[in-house]
Each structure stands twice: as C-alpha cells, then as structure tokens.
Amino acid sequence: MTTHDGYRYQASCGSFSKGLACSAVISPPSNLPGFLSDDGFDVIVIGAGYAGLTAIRDLCNLGYKVLLLEARDRVGGRTYTADVDGHLYEMGGAWVHWGQPHVYHEMHRYGQTKMLNSNEAEIGCQSFFTACIDGARTSMSLEEQERLVSKAFEVFCNVDDSYGRRLLPYPHEPHHNPDVRYWESISAAQRLDQIRHLLDDVQITTLQAFLVAISGNTMKETGFFDILRWWALSGYTVLGLYEYTETYKIAAGQSDFARCFFEEALSTGNLRFSFQTAVTGIHDQAGRVTVTCASGQKWLAKRLVCTIPLNILTKVDFNPPLPAVKTAACIKGNVNFGAKLHLEVDDTHLLSWVATNWPGTHIFSCRGDGITPKGNTHIVTFGANKDSLSPQQNAQEATAELNKIQPVTVQQVVWHDWVKDPFSGGSWCMFPPGYSFRYLDALRERHGNVFFASGDWAYGWRGFIDGAIEEGSRVAKEVSVCLGRLKAVAASL
Amino acid sequence: MTTHDGYRYQASCGSFSKGLACSAVISPPSNLPGFLSDDGFDVIVIGAGYAGLTAIRDLCNLGYKVLLLEARDRVGGRTYTADVDGHLYEMGGAWVHWGQPHVYHEMHRYGQTKMLNSNEAEIGCQSFFTACIDGARTSMSLEEQERLVSKAFEVFCNVDDSYGRRLLPYPHEPHHNPDVRYWESISAAQRLDQIRHLLDDVQITTLQAFLVAISGNTMKETGFFDILRWWALSGYTVLGLYEYTETYKIAAGQSDFARCFFEEALSTGNLRFSFQTAVTGIHDQAGRVTVTCASGQKWLAKRLVCTIPLNILTKVDFNPPLPAVKTAACIKGNVNFGAKLHLEVDDTHLLSWVATNWPGTHIFSCRGDGITPKGNTHIVTFGANKDSLSPQQNAQEATAELNKIQPVTVQQVVWHDWVKDPFSGGSWCMFPPGYSFRYLDALRERHGNVFFASGDWAYGWRGFIDGAIEEGSRVAKEVSVCLGRLKAVAASL
C-alpha cells in the first residue's frame, strides 16, 4: 500500500513523486461505516503515533470501547518505513535500544527484537570518517573520530566532575535534582562558550555539527539541558550516546512494529478507527467530550486522549480553552526543525562511512546505513530545514551538498518533510533553554476530561519512540483509574 | 504483617527469631472461600514471584478468570522487604536499573520510580575499600578499587578485542551469535586461567571475590558465559556493571512494588488467590489441567502458567511427565547457592565502605547500604551457603567473619536462607558451563497446556527481577493468543 506521506526524487529520469510504499497504511481507512453508537465511546484517542497506539492497545485490552481518530492514512505518527525498490527506509524515528525500557518492553511483547546495526561494517568495507569544514575535507578512521568526539563531548557534559552523574542521577526524572535549574536555563551555545578554551578547532567543529544534527536547530536555540539528558540517558558516555541514539533499527521496520499495537487493539473487538480524519475541535462539557472532525462529523466519549504534537496542538479549537500556560508552551514549542534525507548512491565504499559537514545547510551529518538490492549504498543525512524549501529544491540541494562532502553519483533521494507536515510541525522534540522547568509539567496535566500523551513531553526519552510509549502507557493507566476499571483495591481484600 | 520467611538474630540479647515484618503478606490468605467454580478457571498461575505477578496482572486485565496459587504467605517470590525497627532490608532481589526494560517499564506503570542509591556517600562520610586477602587487610579509595577491578574485568571479558561487543552484540539474545558456543562451554575458572598472566595478584583476588559473589558458587562451577552476559547487558563496562546490578533500589521497597501487580490484578474482579498453598501435582488431560494442592484440594483450568523455580520444579508430579530434557535441565539446575545477609553495625563510618574477602566462606563481599533509625550502619554481605549451616550458625559465623574484615560491633543480623528454602532451592539463577545451549530453549517450551515462566530462564536479565517480568509478560501473551483472546487480525480488517 502507498501512504500519501513522503517524497521520492529519481535522479536518472529527473522524476519527482509524492507518496511512498508503506505497510503502515490502514485500509479500508475506517471500520465506522455501519457502526451505530448510541451513547458514545468510553475513550476517543486522537493520533496513531506510538503514544496513541499504546493508549488504544492498553485501553482496548482493559475492555473499554475506544475510537481512534488519525489525520494521516497510516499508523506510526512521526515514524514510518518506506519500501522503495525492496529497501526499507525509516522516514522518521528509527533507532532504538534495549536500554530504552518502554520501547524494548514492547519490542519483546511483539517478537520484534531482531535488529539491524547501522554501524556494522561489512567485511572488506573500509570504515572512515570525513570532516568537511568550511569546504575543506579531512579523513580519519572511525576510531580517531570517536576519540575526538569523546573528548569534546566529555568536556561539554562534565558539569559536575562526574560527567553528569551527580547532576542527573536519575535521567528519567529530569527535575529530580534542583541543581539542574541553572543548566536548564542556558543554551548549548552558552555551554560551548564556557568550555571552548579546553578544545581545539576540529573538536569544536565536530561537536557543533553533532549537536545541531541532534537538535535540528542552532546551538543558540537549543537548550543545553536536552543534550545533557540524552547523554545521561545513554549512560554518560559518548559510546553510549552512539549506541542508544543512532545504531540499532528494528529489522522488520518501524511500520511493522507500529502495526502490532494496532492489530492487538483491533483483535479485542473494542476498537473503532477512522484514518484520514483530522480533528478540528474538542468540546468538554457536562462530563462528556465531543470531538469535531474536519468533515463536520462529531463523536462523543467519556474521556479523550489527545496525542497531537506540541507544535500543532493549538490548531485545534479547545472548549473550554487550554490553560494559558499550556498555550504558551505550545507557542514556544519544539525547536527541532531538522531534516532527515535518504540518498541512494552508487559508491559501495561508503557503507561504513560517517561524515560531518560544517557549517552545513541541509546536511550536518551523514552516514552509510545499508546496501540496497541494486548494490548501491544507502546514505542517511541529518540537517536543518527551517527555510521551507520546496520538495524538489530539498532533494537537489541535499544532493549538491553531499557532493561537496564526498563526490558521489546520487541515484535517488527519499524523504519526509516533518517541518512543513501539518500534522507534526517539527521533528523529534527538543526544548529551547529555560523551557523544561517552565512548561514540562504543565504539558502533562489533564484538562478536564482531556488527557495529553506525547513523546514531546515524556520524562525519560523525550522525542524518542520510547518516550511516546512511556506517555501512552501513563495516560492509558490514568484514564483507566479515572473510569474506575482499575479501582483502588484495599477494600476488596 | 509478618511473613513466616526470614531470620533475625539480635546480638545484644542473644535472641533468635524466625519471621519478619513485611508488607507483601496477603491477608486473608485466600479469597476462595464461598467461591463456586462450576467449570474451572481460564488460567491457573502457580507462584506469586514477579513472573507470576506479571502473568496474573496481564491475564486478569484481558478478562480471563484466573486462580493464583502460592506456597508462601506473601507475594514477591525471591524478593521481599523486611521492615526491622523501621529500616527496610531487601531480603532477596533488590537492585534495579532504568536500563532494565521490563522492570523499569513496570516501575513507571506503578509510579515506583523513586530510588535509593546504595553507593551514595553521605556528606562527611569517607568512602573506602578494604581487601581482606588471606586474612591480611589493605585499604584504598573506591576510585583506586574501581580502576583495579575495571582493568581486571576488562581483561577477563575482552574475548573479541571489543570487550564483548562483537561476540554479544544483542545481550538480550544470548545465542544470537553462534561464536558464543565456545565461550558458553567454559567455566569462569577456565577463563581466568587464560588471562591470569595479564593481571597481578591483587587484581586476580579482587576479580575472584567479585565473581563468586555474583555466582554464589566456585569459579569452576560458574559458566563464564553468565558473567559475560551480565557484562554485556550492563553496557560492556565495569561502571555499568556496578550501576546495573548493585546500585539502585526501589525506595518504597520491593514488597510495595510487588503488591502493585497483585492489587491491579485483584481490582479487575477476575482474580481468585490462595496463599500458603503448595502444589504437588499437575495433570494435563483431555484439554484441561488439574492442579493438586498439598491439602489434596484440586483445581481445574484450561491453561496453566507454572513459575516454580528451576531447582524445585521436579518436586511437582507432572502427568504426563516432563520431557527428559526439561527434567535433566532441572536436575543440573541453577548453581547459585549464594547467601545474602544484612548486618546492623554500630560503626557509622562504614556507610560508604566496600570490602572484598578472599578466600571467604560466608562473606565474599560486603558494603554499606544505609543508616538505620538507631543511627547504625546497614551492611549487606554476599557469600556462599552450600554447607547448610543452621540459621544460628549462619548469623554467628557471618558476624565472626565480618569482624576479621573490619572490627565492628554487630547489633543484629537479618537474612533469608534461599538455598534451604523449599520454595526456591537456590539464589538468583546462574548457569554452569555448557548449560545455556543445551537447556535454555527447552526450559522455555510449553508442555501441552502447561506454560513455563521464570526469571530462571529469561533471555535477557536472567536471574533478575527484570527477567522474571520478561517471562511473565511472554507467557501471558502466549496463553492469551492460545486461548483466542488476542486473535490474528488480518481477517477483521
């Protein structure tokens, strides 16, 4: 099946197309036709990303009557897997790790623990790193690069003489230690200024390129605290950071994994769903929530789970209106306007290649990520896309930029524009300086009968698949307790 | 409430007692009286350790009628928390980590993410390490000790020039790489012989003491593969090994956590339970499983989940009998005959103290683990207990041995004898050499309508709470699919 999402540019014939083959598409898009709902649903869940998928699965298993509404034609939200000429491309969130508790727990549940290692060098394939700085290229071994980045990152994150262990002893509880308040208030740029004198130029450049690839924005717009949290969650080492955040992919693809949640929910008989159904209004009155869809259709439920991402949440008309602090949080929002593009190139020597490009425009970093059935190399790149290029420009400028880093023949480009996507409005969540203490807890609070779940405001792996599942799990539990299904137990003993 | 489990020896008055105050005791012990079961249960679960607790919780939530049978008077199996004079002692499994996916996922579910750090030095308290080797004591800083053990462990585990990363790339999949077969076949003693020449005497001694404290048996009886798996699961570093396996405790105690699973299951209205109810027979005939209790009472179910530990599984009379390979696996069994004893001592300078004792008898290693309400230090020790000492001897000999390592006044000793305990028959699971390839998969296989779940045969954190939850989760899913509650979904789309 083909999702409306995503773009493909084939260099050989100059052809450009929208929509990609993807197993996450749900067809038919709804099982509502013919369904009569007299008194509404127990719970309506808006959004079929991992937060919403976890919520519907948990709620349906508990016996609630659930309606899932999703604007896209597929499950997975800011993750999906495109099958292009028999090769799987992860268009959004891709990398997972067995130390990410929520996602690995679910991978185990669904027998999806088979993984691919993006860093695995094929036999006979040379591993190397290219730093392209102001257009000048230097190459070194991946071991040399690791030492270089390790040193730079260790200095950057060593805020407490214990590489962050004292300051962030429990990385899944971001505000556990009140001492983090200062570090939460500064930007990545400010932190770099504090330690710049301890590093040499190559270290600084490589660190900067790495950081902007993480944040999808400038160092000034990126909160230092978010970088520090990734570091702590990854075990307080650079090797951990690589292994947790950019190494292991689910072998069958994210879309296969996402479908498991949906199919389990569906198998209970408790799930109604409607894809390609955007929501425009949420009205919470007299103990019932009415959801209005773009088509004008209305649905009623006792409780609502809203998983709409941070950057587009205010597009929906809430009545009663969202509290001022939530609205302010949404307006300030996720600052990640990063771009991820896949390029199929005909140079097979780049399989174990990693590169940094500074100052990049569309590409800050790139790496080999597999061999396509045609024998070409799949290169995945990360950059910024705040400038709202047209899709065609995107493909062509990325191709041109990759050629500056490494001369190659690009066969095709495959990507999704998460920034201009009206249902995401940005990439994986990164907070600006001073945001977490001010807004994080407010974003997690219920608003009457409306509960909010999103990886954008997870406590642990925020911005990751793990964080989305953390949130779906939290809110499904809260709703269940609230509706009395999981009741207090002391009296029954 | 007071469990029948555990011992306490108070040195001041020479008093010795059995049974400890514990919140995991379930009272009344059964909700079966007055219950009429016409056609039996959907599922009977034997055992209320974490594997059983996870299974009953998942199955009850899915709407199955479940009966839980447990030989003890409490939930938690080989974990429970004793409250002695207002101080919490973890009598069995204690340490957890957010990188252990299954247990942390559940801690998050139950709002039990608040932890205590066993390694946290109090202000003004000196951290130090004592090595007591052949009766001679040497002290050094914890930093020095860490360097010493790090070096020794790195050499010990560096089987592939990448510290185990290549050999065990996916630590939750023990047999993923066929090259592990050789390493699985040798003992920890054989591995030490291979690398002995690379280490000095202090390193060798400290490594040995550490290893036998992990395995609760001799180096010869301990499979090297199990040590390597702990290492890989902990991120392939010694610091990781410390942090994952002996640092973080659930602040409210394991018993509080274990109750959460039980209470959620109970709140569904689908759970019947009977504690202090040992099982003697399991008869699987004509599509129904009959469970016979020690009292002679029989119960009937469509499926059975058996979580009886490896070392005592053959005590139950199976009909049809267990396959020969399962029986052989049980007879060879878990080789961990380790002892864990808590000593309350009046020296508050030992709060951040760690010690190794070699060749120890009852104590191989010990450490400060908190301050009691009386202002004394809580020392936790690990040793071996294969010799079947009487409880009184246990307390007195451990006291005497601790005094050889560090002269102290012991106020009291609190412990559980997991080796002589008829419902465990050993401590956390460690396999001998050559066991994993031969038996692990066989132990996980269903036997007709009987499904087996235990941390003793988990794929990931085997022998840990995480592994028990992994297993309870796996088997609850399998039973649900088998009973048709979670059915295949393609047809319904």
Side-chain angles (χ1 to χ4, degrees):
Chain A
M1 278 175 294
T2 303
T3 174
H4 294 119
D5 281 344
Y7 299 103
R8 179 184 188 188
Y9 171 73
Q10 290 172 275
S12 55
C13 55
S15 113
F16 172 83
S17 57
K18 186 163 180 357
L20 296 165
C22 173
S23 66
V25 175
I26 304 299
S27 173
S30 176
N31 65 353
L32 281 169
F35 170 75
L36 293 175
S37 164
D38 292 342
D39 51 356
F41 293 91
D42 292 317
V43 187
I44 294 174
V45 175
I46 302 175
Y50 282 105
L53 289 171
T54 305
I56 61 161
R57 192 270 320 268
D58 285 1
L59 292 165
C60 285
N61 277 345
L62 284 168
Y64 291 113
K65 298 293 172 192
V66 176
L67 172 63
L68 171 67
L69 299 173
E70 164 61 54
R72 306 181 192 277
D73 54 13
R74 57 170 181 81
V75 293
R78 277 171 277 178
T79 67
Y80 68 102
T81 314
D83 182 341
V84 180
D85 300 335
H87 187 73
L88 298 183
Y89 294 92
E90 293 294 359
M91 306 307 296
W95 287 303
V96 295
H97 193 275
W98 48 89
Q100 293 176 328
H102 304 288
V103 67
Y104 196 77
H105 179 79
E106 299 295 347
M107 287 165 64
H108 173 259
R109 178 178 185 83
Y110 294 120
Q112 291 270 4
T113 53
K114 196 176 169 211
M115 290 184 259
L116 299 174
N117 182 340
S118 293
N119 285 330
E120 202 149 45
E122 293 287 311
I123 291 158
C125 175
Q126 201 195 343
S127 299
F128 70 108
F129 170 75
T130 304
C132 183
I133 299 170
D134 295 324
R137 299 166 61 230
T138 326
S139 281
M140 61 185 85
S141 73
L142 286 181
E143 289 70 28
E144 278 176 277
Q145 181 240 7
E146 193 189 301
R147 274 194 296 276
L148 190 148
V149 180
S150 279
K151 171 70 197 307
F153 242 105
E154 280 167 13
V155 168
F156 191 70
C157 291
N158 195 10
V159 288
D160 54 5
D161 285 331
S162 68
Y163 300 100
R165 283 185 164 82
R166 273 180 223 164
L167 191 75
L168 276 172
Y170 300 105
H172 286 259
E173 292 176 60
H175 304 159
H176 174 86
N177 182 350
D179 294 348
V180 300
R181 194 174 274 273
Y182 164 71
W183 302 102
E184 191 269 345
S185 74
I186 66 171
S187 68
Q190 285 172 297
R191 176 58 183 165
L192 181 60
D193 284 343
Q194 293 175 351
I195 52 97
R196 187 185 289 275
H197 62 287
L198 300 170
L199 304 176
D200 64 32
D201 285 351
V202 181
Q203 287 174 326
I204 292 169
T205 304
T206 316
L207 182 65
Q208 280 175 318
F210 198 109
L211 292 174
V212 296
I214 282 180
S215 77
N217 207 319
T218 64
M219 301 272 288
K220 199 178 153 203
E221 294 296 323
T222 304
F224 170 60
F225 190 51
D226 267 19
I227 307 293
L228 199 59
R229 288 188 60 258
W230 282 37
W231 168 264
L233 283 160
S234 303
Y236 312 90
T237 65
V238 167
L239 204 51
L241 195 61
Y242 284 138
E243 290 181 343
Y244 270 84
T245 67
E246 54 171 65
T247 300
Y248 301 103
K249 295 188 292 188
I250 294 178
Q254 283 295 331
S255 287
D256 220 52
F257 181 47
R259 278 198 82 101
C260 295
F261 293 72
F262 180 73
E263 295 187 3
E264 180 173 345
L266 199 56
S267 77
T268 64
N270 295 326
L271 182 68
R272 296 282 151 178
F273 60 85
S274 185
F275 286 79
Q276 303 178 41
T277 304
V279 165
T280 55
I282 294 171
H283 193 174
D284 180 7
Q285 196 179 38
R288 284 288 182 283
V289 185
T290 307
V291 175
T292 307
C293 304
S295 65
Q297 172 96 50
K298 290 180 196 293
W299 298 100
L300 202 69
K302 291 175 191 157
R303 297 291 184 281
L304 179 79
V305 175
C306 175
T307 75
I308 298 171
L310 181 51
N311 281 7
I312 57 165
L313 185 57
T314 53
K315 285 188 186 175
V316 174
D317 181 39
F318 280 87
N319 181 6
L322 290 177
V325 60
K326 246 191 226 284
T327 307
C330 294
I331 290 165
K332 201 162 171 90
N334 163 21
V335 297
N336 188 337
F337 302 110
K340 178 184 189 181
L341 287 88
H342 300 284
L343 296 97
E344 183 177 357
V345 305
D346 64 1
D347 187 339
T348 53
H349 290 96
L350 298 178
L351 178 60
S352 293
W353 175 65
V354 175
T356 275
N357 181 40
W358 188 262
T361 49
H362 301 85
I363 299 178
F364 300 139
S365 78
C366 51
R367 65 178 321 137
D369 196 15
I371 294 289
T372 70
K374 285 183 191 159
N376 295 320
T377 299
H378 162 198
I379 302 279
V380 56
T381 73
F382 292 89
N385 188 32
K386 218 178 171 175
D387 305 331
S388 294
L389 294 180
S390 74
Q392 286 90 334
Q393 283 176 307
N394 238 323
Q396 284 152 8
E397 301 216 359
T399 299
E401 197 161 355
L402 179 61
N403 264 290
K404 284 183 205 154
I405 307 167
Q406 179 77 20
V408 286
T409 304
V410 172
Q411 303 281 356
Q412 65 178 339
V413 189
V414 181
W415 79 104
H416 185 104
D417 186 339
W418 296 106
V419 178
K420 282 209 287 284
D421 182 330
F423 306 123
S424 60
S427 300
W428 64 89
C429 185
M430 298 297 290
F431 285 167
Y435 188 100
S436 188
F437 267 98
R438 188 169 301 167
Y439 297 120
L440 181 59
D441 286 330
L443 285 168
R444 298 164 61 92
E445 266 176 30
R446 63 185 281 193
H447 179 49
N449 292 306
V450 181
F451 293 73
F452 298 89
S454 168
D456 290 357
W457 46 82
Y459 269 162
W461 284 97
R462 173 158 47 78
F464 285 76
I465 296 160
D466 188 80
I469 297 172
E470 174 201 318
E471 276 288 289
S473 172
R474 169 180 75 93
V475 164
K477 180 94 191 289
E478 284 177 14
V479 169
S480 306
V481 169
C482 180
L483 286 176
R485 183 72 178 75
L486 300 179
K487 58 181 179 285
V489 77
S492 65
L493 264 175
Chain B
M1 278 175 293
T2 303
T3 174
H4 294 119
D5 280 344
Y7 299 103
R8 178 183 187 188
Y9 170 74
Q10 289 172 276
S12 56
C13 55
S15 111
F16 173 83
S17 57
K18 185 164 183 352
L20 297 164
C22 173
S23 66
V25 175
I26 303 300
S27 175
S30 176
N31 65 354
L32 282 169
F35 170 74
L36 294 176
S37 163
D38 292 340
D39 52 354
F41 294 90
D42 292 315
V43 188
I44 294 176
V45 175
I46 302 176
Y50 281 105
L53 290 170
T54 304
I56 61 162
R57 192 270 320 268
D58 286 1
L59 292 165
C60 286
N61 277 344
L62 284 168
Y64 292 113
K65 298 295 174 191
V66 176
L67 172 62
L68 171 67
L69 300 173
E70 164 61 53
R72 306 181 192 276
D73 54 12
R74 57 170 182 79
V75 293
R78 278 171 278 177
T79 67
Y80 68 103
T81 315
D83 181 341
V84 180
D85 300 335
H87 186 71
L88 298 183
Y89 294 92
E90 294 294 358
M91 307 306 296
W95 287 303
V96 296
H97 193 275
W98 48 89
Q100 293 177 328
H102 304 287
V103 66
Y104 197 77
H105 178 79
E106 298 296 346
M107 288 166 63
H108 173 259
R109 178 176 185 84
Y110 293 120
Q112 291 271 4
T113 53
K114 194 177 170 209
M115 289 183 260
L116 299 175
N117 182 340
S118 293
N119 287 330
E120 201 149 48
E122 293 287 310
I123 290 158
C125 175
Q126 202 195 339
S127 298
F128 70 110
F129 169 74
T130 303
C132 182
I133 298 170
D134 295 321
R137 298 166 60 230
T138 326
S139 280
M140 62 184 82
S141 72
L142 286 181
E143 288 70 28
E144 279 174 274
Q145 182 242 4
E146 192 189 300
R147 274 193 296 276
L148 191 147
V149 181
S150 280
K151 173 70 196 308
F153 242 105
E154 280 167 12
V155 169
F156 191 71
C157 292
N158 195 10
V159 289
D160 55 4
D161 287 332
S162 68
Y163 301 100
R165 282 184 163 84
R166 273 181 223 162
L167 192 74
L168 276 171
Y170 301 105
H172 286 260
E173 292 176 60
H175 305 160
H176 175 85
N177 182 350
D179 294 347
V180 301
R181 196 174 272 271
Y182 164 71
W183 301 103
E184 191 268 345
S185 75
I186 67 170
S187 68
Q190 286 172 297
R191 176 57 182 166
L192 181 60
D193 284 344
Q194 293 176 352
I195 53 96
R196 190 184 288 275
H197 62 287
L198 299 170
L199 304 176
D200 65 32
D201 286 351
V202 181
Q203 286 174 325
I204 291 169
T205 306
T206 316
L207 182 63
Q208 281 176 316
F210 198 109
L211 292 174
V212 296
I214 282 179
S215 77
N217 207 319
T218 63
M219 301 271 289
K220 201 179 151 201
E221 295 295 324
T222 304
F224 170 59
F225 190 50
D226 267 19
I227 309 293
L228 198 61
R229 289 187 60 257
W230 282 38
W231 168 265
L233 284 159
S234 301
Y236 313 89
T237 65
V238 168
L239 205 51
L241 195 61
Y242 284 137
E243 290 181 343
Y244 270 83
T245 68
E246 53 171 66
T247 300
Y248 301 101
K249 295 187 293 188
I250 294 179
Q254 283 295 332
S255 287
D256 220 54
F257 179 48
R259 277 198 82 101
C260 296
F261 293 72
F262 181 74
E263 296 187 2
E264 180 173 346
L266 200 57
S267 77
T268 63
N270 294 327
L271 181 69
R272 294 284 151 176
F273 59 86
S274 185
F275 286 79
Q276 304 178 41
T277 304
V279 165
T280 56
I282 294 171
H283 193 174
D284 181 8
Q285 194 179 40
R288 283 289 183 280
V289 184
T290 307
V291 175
T292 307
C293 304
S295 65
Q297 172 95 54
K298 290 178 194 296
W299 297 102
L300 202 69
K302 291 176 193 157
R303 296 293 184 280
L304 179 78
V305 174
C306 175
T307 76
I308 298 173
L310 181 51
N311 281 5
I312 56 164
L313 185 57
T314 54
K315 286 187 186 175
V316 175
D317 180 39
F318 280 88
N319 182 3
L322 291 177
V325 60
K326 246 191 226 284
T327 306
C330 292
I331 289 167
K332 202 162 170 93
N334 162 21
V335 297
N336 188 337
F337 302 110
K340 178 183 188 181
L341 287 88
H342 300 285
L343 296 97
E344 183 177 356
V345 306
D346 65 359
D347 186 338
T348 53
H349 289 95
L350 298 178
L351 178 61
S352 293
W353 176 64
V354 175
T356 276
N357 181 40
W358 186 262
T361 50
H362 300 86
I363 298 179
F364 301 139
S365 78
C366 51
R367 66 177 321 135
D369 195 17
I371 294 291
T372 70
K374 285 183 190 156
N376 295 320
T377 299
H378 163 199
I379 302 280
V380 57
T381 73
F382 292 90
N385 188 31
K386 219 179 172 177
D387 305 332
S388 294
L389 294 179
S390 74
Q392 286 90 335
Q393 282 176 309
N394 237 325
Q396 283 152 10
E397 300 215 0
T399 299
E401 197 162 354
L402 179 60
N403 263 287
K404 285 183 205 154
I405 308 167
Q406 179 77 20
V408 287
T409 304
V410 172
Q411 303 281 356
Q412 65 177 340
V413 188
V414 182
W415 78 105
H416 185 102
D417 186 338
W418 295 106
V419 179
K420 283 209 288 285
D421 182 331
F423 307 124
S424 59
S427 298
W428 63 91
C429 187
M430 298 297 290
F431 284 167
Y435 189 100
S436 187
F437 267 98
R438 188 169 300 166
Y439 297 120
L440 181 59
D441 286 331
L443 285 168
R444 297 164 61 93
E445 265 175 30
R446 63 184 282 193
H447 178 49
N449 293 305
V450 182
F451 293 74
F452 297 89
S454 169
D456 290 356
W457 47 82
Y459 271 162
W461 284 98
R462 174 157 46 78
F464 285 76
I465 297 159
D466 188 78
I469 297 171
E470 174 200 320
E471 276 287 291
S473 172
R474 169 180 74 93
V475 165
K477 181 93 192 290
E478 283 176 14
V479 169
S480 307
V481 169
C482 180
L483 286 175
R485 183 74 179 75
L486 300 180
K487 58 180 181 287
V489 77
S492 66
L493 265 174

